[in-house]
Amino acid sequence: MNGGETPRNEDGTNTPSEPERQQLTGRQRLAAGLWPPRVTRAQLIVAVLLFVLGLGLAIQVTSNNDDSALRGARQEDLVRILDELDNRTQRLEDEKQRLDAQRTELETSSDQAEEARKQTREKEQQLGVLAGTVAAQGPGITLTINDPSGTVEPDMLLDAIQELRAAGAEAIQVNDVRVVADTYFSGTGGDVQVDGKAVTAPYVFKVIGKPQDLEPALNIPGGVVQTLEKEQATATVTRAEKIIVDALRPAKRPDYARSSAR
């Protein structure tokens, strides 16, 4: 080392000379020893590993919290949820078999033209029910929601519709408004509108479908009924062998779309 050079640390900073060290206070010497930090490669690797481990633990805790609703559910509630999933699977399988049967009838019928017309008429009735242009009747439930405090928001009623559809509801009417694919809910608590039409409590849902599937779907843990009860509202579900959905919607002609059949 040349006599005129100032001693330097490994990180390039100047090393205080002996007279300078003697002039430093204890706090200054401590600060000089701690900063700038001297990090070795081994320490850096350990820090990265600890960060990755902490991140993994945080993700695991978040995942466990997401499953806490099911972890805390009673055995009968879990059985009910599994039954609902099984019922949805069965409905899809039944629909597949029905479509397969229709295809077989068309392929094997001696009068394929007449069979095609028959299936077309049946399909027209089915589409009319879905579009809300024809009345419908069948087994189902009546869901009555009383809201004395005016705390039931439109999105809560929409959640009820979605749960019912997922459970296999085929036709729904809320008060005197037919619910279809493009139905929307708007407004605020106590001032609810369905497709722009005002509806007031009690909100009466007439639903056609399998009662054994519809009612449990509303009573699952954290579902529609429990949510409404938290808002000081009451929800009553009544099964019936015959539900009539007779609120109709006018058939709309599309402005731009035309059939591509030739």
Side-chain angles (χ1 to χ4, degrees):
M1 178 182 297
N2 296 331
E5 293 183 353
T6 301
R8 293 179 178 274
N9 295 319
E10 294 179 359
D11 58 2
T13 58
N14 294 335
T15 301
S17 63
E18 187 62 28
E20 290 174 337
R21 288 181 180 272
Q22 294 177 356
Q23 294 177 3
L24 295 176
T25 64
R27 179 177 297 179
Q28 290 172 332
R29 287 195 298 271
L30 178 61
L34 294 177
W35 189 263
R38 298 176 178 84
V39 180
T40 65
R41 178 177 298 179
Q43 291 173 329
L44 181 60
I45 294 174
V46 170
V48 171
L49 291 176
L50 289 175
F51 172 77
V52 173
L53 178 61
L55 180 61
L57 290 175
I59 294 174
Q60 181 65 34
V61 169
T62 302
S63 177
N64 291 339
N65 290 336
D66 292 340
D67 296 337
S68 60
L70 291 178
R71 291 180 184 275
R74 298 174 301 175
Q75 182 177 358
E76 53 267 30
D77 293 331
L78 294 174
V79 171
R80 183 184 303 168
I81 293 173
L82 289 175
D83 287 342
E84 182 182 352
L85 292 175
D86 290 339
N87 290 332
R88 292 182 185 180
T89 302
Q90 185 61 46
R91 287 195 301 272
L92 292 174
E93 183 63 28
D94 292 343
E95 177 66 12
K96 177 180 180 297
Q97 292 179 0
R98 186 183 65 82
L99 293 174
D100 288 341
Q102 287 183 352
R103 183 184 63 183
T104 301
E105 289 177 0
L106 283 173
E107 292 174 349
T108 60
S109 175
S110 58
D111 189 348
Q112 294 187 355
E114 179 59 30
E115 182 63 30
R117 284 192 292 268
K118 175 185 174 183
Q119 292 191 16
T120 299
R121 289 192 296 269
E122 293 176 352
K123 194 65 176 180
E124 181 182 7
Q125 289 294 319
Q126 295 172 3
L127 293 176
V129 170
L130 295 176
T133 57
V134 299
Q137 66 179 26
I141 64 168
T142 299
L143 167 65
T144 304
I145 300 175
N146 288 290
D147 182 25
S149 303
T151 56
V152 175
E153 297 288 340
D155 60 335
M156 299 177 186
L157 301 181
L158 179 59
D159 288 342
I161 295 294
Q162 292 174 336
E163 288 291 348
L164 291 168
R165 282 175 170 166
E170 297 176 351
I172 305 175
Q173 174 177 327
V174 179
N175 289 12
D176 58 348
V177 180
R178 185 70 168 267
V179 176
V180 294
D182 60 352
T183 291
Y184 65 93
F185 289 74
S186 58
T188 58
D191 182 22
V192 178
Q193 296 180 359
V194 183
D195 289 337
K197 185 174 183 178
V199 294
T200 58
Y203 306 110
V204 180
F205 291 61
K206 296 181 180 179
V207 187
I208 295 177
K210 188 177 180 181
Q212 296 86 341
D213 295 341
L214 298 175
E215 183 177 4
L218 299 173
N219 288 292
I220 61 175
V224 172
V225 172
Q226 287 189 2
T227 300
L228 292 171
E229 289 175 350
K230 291 179 182 179
E231 299 297 330
Q232 307 302 316
T234 59
T236 305
V237 181
T238 305
R239 298 187 185 189
E241 290 299 322
K242 184 178 181 180
I243 296 290
I244 298 177
V245 174
D246 53 5
L248 302 180
R249 299 174 69 97
K252 293 183 179 180
R253 181 181 178 85
D255 294 327
Y256 305 101
R258 295 292 182 267
S259 173
S260 60
R262 295 181 178 178

